[in-house]
Amino acid sequence: MQNLLPEPPATLLPVHEEADAALAAATEQGTDEAYAGVAARFPTYSAGWAALAGRALATGQVVAAYAYARTGYHRGLDQLRRSGWKGHGPVPWSHVPNRGFLRCLHVLSRAAGEIGEADEAARCAQFLRDCDPAAGDALASA
């Protein structure tokens, strides 16, 4: 059966040049403290939380990864809503400012799975694919 209703327009989060520059500097430093500084200075910037979450997951700190990813996910939802998102519709991976939110969603799914929250892991994985299948593909191979 074909859906005859039009899909909502893609939601594109705004560019945050100052936070992007701070994250680039933290990446050069490569320390948890540098990344935490980005999240503290720009708490609504999901990419900062995504960096912390990814680092924590990579080092086996699953609960910290879950917490960082959940924070970035919720801050990202707030930004998506402010950008006109109505709870569904594309959030394209190709738009770089969306990637922080999408990365948080990916790490949240993985961390939830690792702490035994299978339902949440599945919901987050599906939500990521619903936002943009390309995001799921890119992050699965990362």
Side-chain angles (χ1 to χ4, degrees), residues 24-115:
T27 301
E28 284 182 23
Q29 291 178 18
T31 65
D32 290 340
E33 294 78 18
Y35 288 106
V38 174
R41 187 170 166 208
F42 303 101
T44 64
Y45 181 62
S46 290
W49 294 107
L52 283 168
R55 287 175 64 85
L57 192 63
T59 60
Q61 300 173 59
V62 179
V63 173
Y66 181 89
Y68 291 141
R70 180 160 287 290
T71 300
Y73 162 77
H74 281 287
R75 298 314 295 260
L77 286 176
D78 293 343
Q79 285 191 344
L80 286 169
R81 289 182 187 112
R82 281 194 297 275
S83 296
W85 187 71
K86 304 287 188 221
H88 60 89
V91 180
W93 173 257
S94 60
H95 183 66
V96 174
N98 290 350
R99 290 184 180 182
F101 168 74
L102 297 168
R103 282 188 170 109
C104 283
L105 190 51
H106 173 71
V107 175
L108 183 57
S109 175
R110 290 188 53 208
E114 289 193 30
I115 63 171

